[in-house]
Amino acid sequence: MTTEAPPRPARQRRTARNAQTNDYFDLVERANAAGLMERRVGWYIGRTIALTAALALAFVLLLTLGQTWWQLAVAVLFGVVFTQGAFLAHDGGHQQIFAHGRNNEWFSRIVGNLFVGLSIGWWSRKHNKHHGNPNVIGKDGDIDTGALVFVPGEEVGRTGFLGWVTRRQGWLFFPMLALFGPVLHAKSVQTLATTPAIKHRLVESVLLAVRLIGFPVVVVLTLGPVLGVSFLAVQLAVFGVYMGATFAPNHKGMPLLPKDNSIDFLRRQVLTSRNIRGGRFVAWAMGGLNYQIEHHVFPRMASVNLRHVRPILVQFCAERDIPYTETGLVESYGIIVRYLNRVGLGYADPMDCPIVAQYR
């Protein structure tokens, strides 16, 4: 899950920098001067212990409450805990936790596969492309057309049931997220089964099998087939909606960039990302990804430091007249729904955004 590394100041000569590249290095120097690029291992250890304790509590409740429909509340707890585990694996994949890349990779591999049920080998390939080219048509897999259409013009030719869905995709977006969990698990299995080049593929396969086979077996044996299947359905739905509702506000409905754009790293990340306002609860609930602009500009910065670097980045963008987008969580969901509906109906063209046009 390592990302495209942004340019490193130590490897550049000031005399060779162009103005836009110089902007990025000046920003990095400000963050370094504030001590915000330092590791926060202790904070991550505490976060891991808290998450492990929450998982242990969920299992204790599962195994002791008995065959009662109150177990569906426990399923919700599992869905939340698994999603929080995905946030933690995400940070490790970004090299945010430990000084050595190998330690970060193994941390993410274990948490992602065994704890969450996601192949880090699959996720990292997909996520790297996204970070390198967010909202870039033809390069960012997160906006590829599938069940939903994110790029105007790609809705053409979708008929029948798929066409019906596309024309209403904004309203159907959140209900469809209930299926996002099984899709993520299936993609993980498919990738490990068909892609030999995945690093430590055997280890990932074993860990993933323990999670995706072992957990449902424990649930069904404990609760019986009817309650057990209901439990798993709720857990998967909560996991999918929680994951999707966290990641979608970050880029969906923001400007799309053409494949051949020449926008520099800093502006590409800021123009296509959206922050979500809120206090520490929102930051916890979104795993720090509410500071999406800061995360994309400083992908290796510990997520706990993103709120501290935000004022620096806001001031920096204001000085250079770079649009910086921030909304409330509910407002962001409204933007997503309207955007998807307009694309599905075939009359939206975000490529006409005048702000982006000046940076092409």
Side-chain angles (χ1 to χ4, degrees):
M1 203 183 296
T2 55
T3 62
E4 176 199 74
R8 294 175 179 247
R11 296 184 180 179
Q12 298 287 333
R13 297 179 59 188
R14 286 185 177 272
T15 56
R17 296 178 186 171
N18 59 36
Q20 291 181 338
T21 301
N22 191 60
D23 281 348
Y24 180 73
F25 290 130
D26 287 345
L27 177 60
V28 171
E29 287 172 2
R30 294 189 193 186
N32 270 320
L36 297 175
M37 301 302 294
E38 297 177 1
R39 305 289 175 178
R40 298 290 301 273
V41 178
W43 182 79
Y44 276 110
I45 290 175
R47 185 175 167 186
T48 303
I49 292 174
L51 195 60
T52 302
L55 181 64
L57 173 63
F59 269 110
V60 168
L61 292 173
L62 169 64
L63 298 174
T64 59
L65 282 182
Q67 295 188 7
T68 167
W69 288 102
W70 283 107
Q71 288 281 12
L72 297 186
V74 181
V76 172
L77 176 60
F78 269 106
V80 171
V81 171
F82 288 151
T83 306
Q84 285 288 325
F87 297 154
L88 196 57
H90 167 273
D91 286 6
H94 275 285
Q95 310 290 308
Q96 294 176 12
I97 303 175
F98 305 105
H100 298 290
R102 180 182 177 87
N103 294 338
N104 284 298
E105 289 177 5
W106 276 104
F107 180 86
S108 293
R109 189 171 291 119
I110 292 171
V111 173
N113 286 273
L114 183 61
F115 192 105
V116 185
L118 297 182
S119 165
I120 293 303
W122 162 70
W123 178 268
S124 62
R125 290 185 173 200
K126 176 177 179 292
H127 203 57
N128 288 349
K129 293 179 179 179
H130 162 69
H131 263 268
N133 295 280
N135 274 18
V136 176
I137 300 172
K139 291 186 177 181
D140 183 1
D142 287 1
I143 58 172
D144 284 349
T145 294
L148 299 173
V149 181
F150 298 104
V151 179
E154 295 186 1
E155 81 287 348
V156 176
R158 291 165 75 94
T159 59
F161 176 71
L162 194 57
W164 182 89
V165 169
T166 300
R167 291 188 295 275
R168 298 162 178 81
Q169 62 178 5
W171 304 119
L172 296 174
F173 176 68
F174 287 100
M176 289 174 69
L177 288 180
L179 302 175
F180 190 42
V183 170
L184 292 175
H185 293 318
K187 285 286 187 180
S188 297
V189 173
Q190 179 186 26
T191 299
L192 290 178
T194 60
T195 310
I198 295 292
K199 184 186 289 187
H200 299 291
R201 180 185 177 206
L202 179 59
V203 174
E204 282 210 26
S205 298
V206 172
L207 294 175
L208 196 66
V210 171
R211 165 64 178 83
L212 295 184
I213 298 175
F215 180 67
V217 167
V218 170
V219 169
V220 172
L221 289 179
T222 302
L223 303 181
V226 175
L227 182 55
V229 170
S230 300
F231 181 102
L232 292 171
V234 170
Q235 180 266 303
L236 285 168
V238 171
F239 175 64
V241 172
Y242 189 2
M243 284 279 282
T246 298
F247 283 95
N250 301 332
H251 302 281
K252 300 300 181 283
M254 292 299 290
L256 302 180
L257 303 178
K259 189 174 184 178
D260 59 350
N261 79 87
S262 58
I263 301 177
D264 67 289
F265 175 84
L266 173 61
R267 287 164 177 79
R268 185 166 69 247
Q269 305 302 328
V270 177
L271 288 170
T272 59
S273 302
R274 176 193 296 117
N275 271 19
I276 303 301
R277 289 190 296 267
R280 295 198 176 188
F281 175 76
V282 171
W284 169 83
M286 298 186 70
L289 296 177
N290 55 311
Y291 299 105
Q292 188 67 192
I293 299 174
E294 289 72 21
H295 171 56
H296 264 256
V297 173
F298 303 103
R300 296 191 178 189
M301 179 180 287
S303 58
V304 69
N305 285 344
L306 296 177
R307 66 187 178 93
H308 299 296
V309 82
R310 177 187 170 277
I312 296 175
L313 184 54
V314 169
Q315 179 181 349
F316 193 88
C317 289
E319 291 171 359
R320 285 154 179 80
D321 197 27
I322 303 174
Y324 181 101
T325 303
E326 192 172 56
T327 68
L329 183 60
V330 175
E331 182 184 357
S332 73
Y333 291 151
I335 292 171
I336 294 168
V337 170
R338 289 192 297 273
Y339 172 80
L340 287 174
N341 277 336
R342 289 176 63 85
V343 173
L345 291 172
Y347 63 89
D349 188 5
M351 293 303 297
D352 286 341
C353 175
I355 295 176
V356 173
Q358 66 178 303
Y359 292 106
R360 289 181 184 171

